[in-house]
Amino acid sequence: ARPYNYWRKAKELKSSPLVSILMPVYNLAPELLEHTFQSVHRQTYENWQLCVVDDCSTNAATIDYLKAISDYQERQHQEEMT
């Protein structure tokens, strides 16, 4: 089916249950993390949450990227609350 059809069907649902996407991470390159995050954000279904679970990464670039994303999400949440 075409992407438009999925979007239309999602909009026609009588309820929109929360879909949780669990993403385990260990020393993943920031470029792959960004690609994954962008892919999730482009989905047509809107009621979802992405739960990233870091398994004690030791790669500094991975840790820095996850921290930056976490800080950004926290700022977004605070702005929505005000």
Side-chain angles (χ1 to χ4, degrees):
R2 296 197 154 139
Y4 172 78
N5 291 336
Y6 290 124
W7 177 82
R8 188 176 47 122
K9 287 180 189 260
K11 294 290 184 187
E12 292 172 354
L13 291 173
K14 294 191 186 318
S15 67
S16 296
L18 178 64
V19 174
S20 297
I21 304 162
L22 305 178
M23 181 179 158
V25 172
Y26 179 75
N27 289 341
L28 197 59
E31 298 81 22
L32 293 174
L33 288 168
E34 178 65 21
H35 179 75
T36 302
F37 293 153
Q38 291 301 322
S39 176
V40 172
H41 281 275
R42 286 191 300 265
Q43 299 305 306
T44 56
Y45 188 77
E46 296 176 354
N47 194 19
W48 57 267
Q49 64 180 356
L50 178 61
C51 304
V52 179
V53 181
D54 180 37
D55 190 20
C56 298
S57 290
T58 56
N59 181 313
T62 301
I63 295 166
D64 291 346
Y65 185 84
L66 292 173
K67 175 85 170 101
I69 289 294
S70 177
D71 291 347
Y72 174 78
Q73 291 295 333
E74 182 62 30
R75 286 191 307 275
Q76 292 294 104
H77 180 71
Q78 289 176 354
E79 289 176 10
E80 290 173 0
M81 301 303 287
T82 57

